[in-house]
Amino acid sequence: MGATNCPETPRQKMIAMMYLVYTALLALNVSVEILNGFVTVGDAMNESNKNIEFQLSEAYNLFNEAMANDSTKTVKYYEAAMQVKAYSDSLKTMIDNARYGFLCKMQKEAKWEIHNANGKGGKRTIQLRDNSDNFILENARIALDSGGLVVVDKKDNTDIGTQYFYGLKDKPDGKAIDIKNAIIAYKENVAAIFRDTNLTHDTVNINFGLDVESEFYSEHEKRMVSWERYNFDGAIAVADLVCMSRLKSEVMNAEYDAIKKLFGMIGKEDFKFDQITAICRPSATYIISGGRYELKVNVGAYDSRRVFRAVINGQNFQSGPDGTITYTAGAVGEGQRTVRGTVYMMKDGVEEAYPFDESYFVAAPVAVAELTKMNVVYAGIDNPISVSVPGVASRDVIPTITSGNATITKAPGDGNYIIRATKPGKLTLSVSAKVDKGTKHMGTKEIRIKKIPKPVLKIANFKTGDQVSKVEVTANAMLRAVMEDFDFQLPPLKISSFSFNVSGSGALELTGSGNRLTPEMISRINSAKPRQKIYIDNVRVTTPDGVTHTLDLTLRIK
């Protein structure tokens, strides 16, 4: 029979509440390190966006110089470039205002530390809303530009971002919908510029990125979802801001690609450049130790019929038939590496020097394994896991189980896999990657294998210890074996038989089959008096890991 019902003490209630909070944190799996990682990535991306803005400014300066030198040949390409700029500026402003508005919605003020050249400074506080609670977007811009993502107070909040960017689940109407529609219109408007027959008769492909029309596989929902739902439904606040910075970066890259193609359409044979700039194109700026760094060096306004030379890190080079110089160096050790050189080009019969300076980062081999649910896997069920290696494409990452009773198979989506374990213990996940035409071991990770928790027996939502009315039981006369506080979706657990009785009834124990109470059982419940107990036991349930559990249930009638 079931145990006697005992009221919970305040201490027990507190412990139960702490357990629920801890379980929720495990399910979210958002640690301080992850939040700090988002801050670092987001701030670095914003700095990168400033560099792209500088490159765009230089590109438009070239157009201005071209107009000054020969406006007749340049004007239609210049006007097209100004149209691209107008469309791009409008979209970038919309994205920025969404970022600033989101910060204002989350908090009323922003605080950050100020450091001068001597390392000294103080704290600055800036208001994000006026006395009427209206957003002050300019102050939000100052806070994010000066303080970075550190100014965000609720970095791991998911509710505000979901409401602001996505909206309601049944009717999405957030900022992300407006931005998505604006991006679709932007790509069409820019593409239309290049379809103008007065501009070019050739097919021009702009590197837009900005794929907002496609659907993406949601590991949480196990289905394809829209771009806005995939990026903003349930995402943490700091991730929302990083996503906005990434979108702006993609817009600027598309803008730069369009401007570069427009500039390239100007007749090079008839156009005279008055400046030459060294162009350096590294194969990558993040390299795994043991790999190789490759740098292609060229010059702006280069004539393929002429040869130029360069000195790079003390080595002499001469351009090849394709008009480039290829410099390679072994990636030894770890940390920042610098490539310095000078390109020498004949101009008006005189060899002129054009120095350049490039850097790249050499990193130690590292593997990243992030469990989609909790920091364990469970025997007998599919455990989603995402595996990646920084700097390596997901298709070149090779995860294997080297020890333990488990297997790993590919799942839909980049870097997604399924681990299937057969019994409790430990497993070792080994990660390798294809680099430099070979395979390199990146690291291992030990993961615990646990049994699936014991199910809980319920009638409706009532479990052992609950006080219920006779109507509440008889109206929901169906037994359920449920997994409480368990993040994995399991198939319904089947109940084959059970025993039933009511305390003080003086009648023999009844036996039921399936999961429904019989009419005779319901009759005994209706005849029972307050404070009598309903006993249901000998319930046998088998979970997907093959373990058979015996469950029971005791309810007190009100």
Side-chain angles (χ1 to χ4, degrees):
M1 295 297 178
T4 303
N5 179 34
C6 297
E8 286 185 324
T9 65
R11 175 179 173 80
Q12 289 173 321
K13 292 180 179 179
M14 181 189 70
I15 292 173
M17 181 66 70
M18 291 176 64
Y19 174 77
L20 291 175
V21 172
Y22 179 65
T23 303
L25 288 174
L26 286 176
L28 289 173
N29 200 19
V30 179
S31 66
V32 174
E33 288 80 9
I34 292 176
L35 293 176
N36 290 338
F38 271 112
V39 171
T40 301
V41 170
D43 289 345
M45 188 171 293
N46 290 332
E47 286 300 314
S48 176
N49 287 349
K50 293 178 182 177
N51 292 333
I52 301 176
E53 287 176 351
F54 176 79
Q55 293 175 1
L56 281 169
S57 176
E58 291 295 304
Y60 287 118
N61 286 339
L62 287 176
F63 258 112
N64 293 330
E65 292 171 7
M67 281 291 291
N69 288 331
D70 193 338
S71 60
T72 302
K73 292 183 179 294
T74 306
V75 62
K76 64 180 179 181
Y77 304 104
Y78 174 83
E79 290 175 351
M82 292 303 102
Q83 291 181 45
V84 171
K85 185 177 188 299
Y87 288 136
S88 302
D89 288 346
S90 175
L91 182 54
K92 288 184 289 186
T93 299
M94 184 180 191
I95 294 172
D96 280 337
N97 286 343
R99 290 175 64 228
Y100 306 151
F102 180 45
L103 182 63
C104 294
K105 185 175 182 64
M106 284 194 295
Q107 55 200 72
K108 293 185 177 181
E109 61 181 22
K111 300 178 180 179
W112 70 94
E113 294 185 356
I114 303 174
H115 299 284
N116 56 28
N118 298 323
K120 298 180 180 179
K123 292 185 177 180
R124 182 177 181 183
T125 300
I126 190 169
Q127 298 300 314
L128 301 178
R129 304 179 196 171
D130 61 21
N131 294 334
S132 300
D133 217 35
N134 297 315
F135 296 170
I136 309 177
L137 299 184
E138 177 60 17
N139 284 0
R141 181 195 66 78
I142 294 172
L144 288 173
D145 285 353
S146 302
L149 295 183
V150 171
V151 304
V152 181
D153 293 336
K154 301 176 181 179
K155 297 180 180 64
D156 59 349
N157 183 279
T158 59
D159 295 331
I160 301 176
T162 298
Q163 296 171 7
Y164 183 82
F165 286 107
Y166 183 74
L168 301 176
K169 288 185 179 295
D170 57 343
K171 186 181 180 182
D173 58 356
K175 293 289 184 182
I177 309 300
D178 297 334
I179 293 173
K180 176 180 179 178
N181 293 333
I183 288 173
I184 294 172
Y186 171 78
K187 293 195 289 186
E188 177 56 31
N189 289 333
V190 174
I193 293 174
F194 286 87
R195 287 197 298 267
D196 184 350
T197 55
N198 295 322
L199 190 63
T200 177
H201 295 286
D202 299 325
T203 300
V204 177
N205 294 319
I206 305 300
N207 182 23
F208 281 115
L210 297 168
D211 184 11
V212 298
E213 298 93 336
S214 299
E215 290 190 331
F216 303 85
Y217 184 78
S218 169
E219 189 63 40
H220 175 68
E221 299 187 41
K222 304 296 183 186
R223 65 185 180 93
M224 302 298 288
V225 297
S226 64
W227 170 83
E228 60 271 20
R229 189 181 185 97
Y230 181 81
N231 283 285
F232 299 104
D233 185 13
I236 59 177
V238 68
D240 290 333
L241 290 172
V242 172
C243 187
M244 286 291 102
S245 297
R246 176 179 58 80
L247 280 177
K248 184 177 180 180
S249 175
E250 291 183 9
V251 173
M252 289 192 292
N253 280 322
E255 179 184 4
Y256 183 79
D257 192 52
I259 296 303
K260 184 173 64 175
K261 285 181 169 60
L262 286 171
F263 192 82
M265 292 175 184
I266 301 173
K268 293 183 178 179
E269 293 298 324
D270 299 328
F271 190 84
K272 183 179 179 180
F273 291 89
D274 62 350
Q275 290 187 5
I276 298 177
T277 303
I279 301 174
C280 304
R281 294 171 291 167
S283 59
T285 57
Y286 188 96
I287 303 174
I288 296 169
S289 180
R292 292 186 68 79
Y293 173 77
E294 183 176 286
L295 179 70
K296 290 185 180 296
V297 180
N298 207 327
V299 288
Y302 173 71
D303 187 342
S304 61
R305 295 166 296 183
R306 301 174 64 182
V307 176
F308 68 93
R309 70 182 184 90
V311 178
I312 305 174
N313 278 3
Q315 302 180 49
N316 293 308
F317 296 89
Q318 183 171 294
S319 61
D322 60 350
T324 62
I325 287 174
T326 300
Y327 169 81
T328 60
V332 180
E334 302 173 21
Q336 189 82 8
R337 299 290 184 270
T338 301
V339 179
R340 292 186 176 91
T342 303
V343 174
Y344 296 93
M345 186 74 181
M346 297 300 296
K347 183 179 180 182
D348 298 328
V350 179
E351 188 178 61
E352 295 192 5
Y354 303 93
F356 64 88
D357 196 323
E358 289 289 325
S359 62
Y360 62 96
F361 190 86
V362 180
V366 59
V368 178
E370 178 187 348
L371 289 169
T372 309
K373 296 294 182 179
M374 294 183 289
N375 194 27
V376 295
V377 296
Y378 291 91
I381 61 173
D382 290 341
N383 297 267
I385 183 173
S386 110
V387 182
S388 62
V389 175
V392 178
S394 61
R395 64 178 177 273
D396 294 328
V397 177
I398 308 169
T400 55
I401 303 294
T402 55
S403 69
N405 297 287
T407 59
I408 185 168
T409 56
K410 188 71 181 71
D414 289 343
N416 294 331
Y417 296 85
I418 295 293
I419 291 180
R420 184 102 180 174
T422 56
K423 64 180 181 179
K426 293 181 179 179
L427 65 86
T428 301
L429 176 64
S430 178
V431 180
S432 300
K434 297 177 181 178
V435 293
D436 293 337
K437 300 180 181 179
T439 302
K440 187 175 182 64
H441 177 68
M442 296 295 170
T444 59
K445 185 176 184 67
E446 189 177 83
I447 301 173
R448 294 173 296 149
I449 306 173
K450 296 179 65 175
K451 295 189 300 184
I452 296 175
K454 184 177 180 179
V456 176
L457 188 62
K458 290 185 176 184
I459 290 182
N461 285 322
F462 303 114
K463 59 184 178 180
T464 292
D466 289 344
Q467 294 189 31
V468 297
S469 68
K470 290 185 283 187
V471 173
E472 288 174 326
V473 178
T474 56
N476 301 278
M478 182 182 294
L479 299 176
R480 297 188 303 128
V482 299
M483 306 297 300
E484 285 197 328
D485 301 322
F486 191 64
D487 295 312
F488 290 78
Q489 294 294 327
L490 300 183
L493 302 178
K494 296 182 179 180
I495 297 174
S496 57
S497 62
F498 60 94
S499 299
F500 172 92
N501 210 343
V502 175
S503 65
S505 64
L508 295 176
E509 186 177 77
L510 299 175
T511 299
S513 59
N515 65 336
R516 291 183 177 274
L517 300 183
T518 65
E520 186 176 358
M521 296 173 184
I522 293 174
S523 175
R524 286 195 187 181
I525 293 172
N526 289 329
S527 301
K529 298 178 180 179
R531 301 187 64 80
Q532 282 187 285
K533 296 179 181 179
I534 301 170
Y535 295 116
I536 299 174
D537 52 19
N538 296 324
V539 179
R540 295 176 64 82
V541 175
T542 301
T543 47
D545 56 354
V547 178
T548 299
H549 305 272
T550 301
L551 311 179
D552 56 52
L553 173 66
T554 301
L555 301 174
R556 183 188 295 273
I557 298 175
K558 294 179 181 179

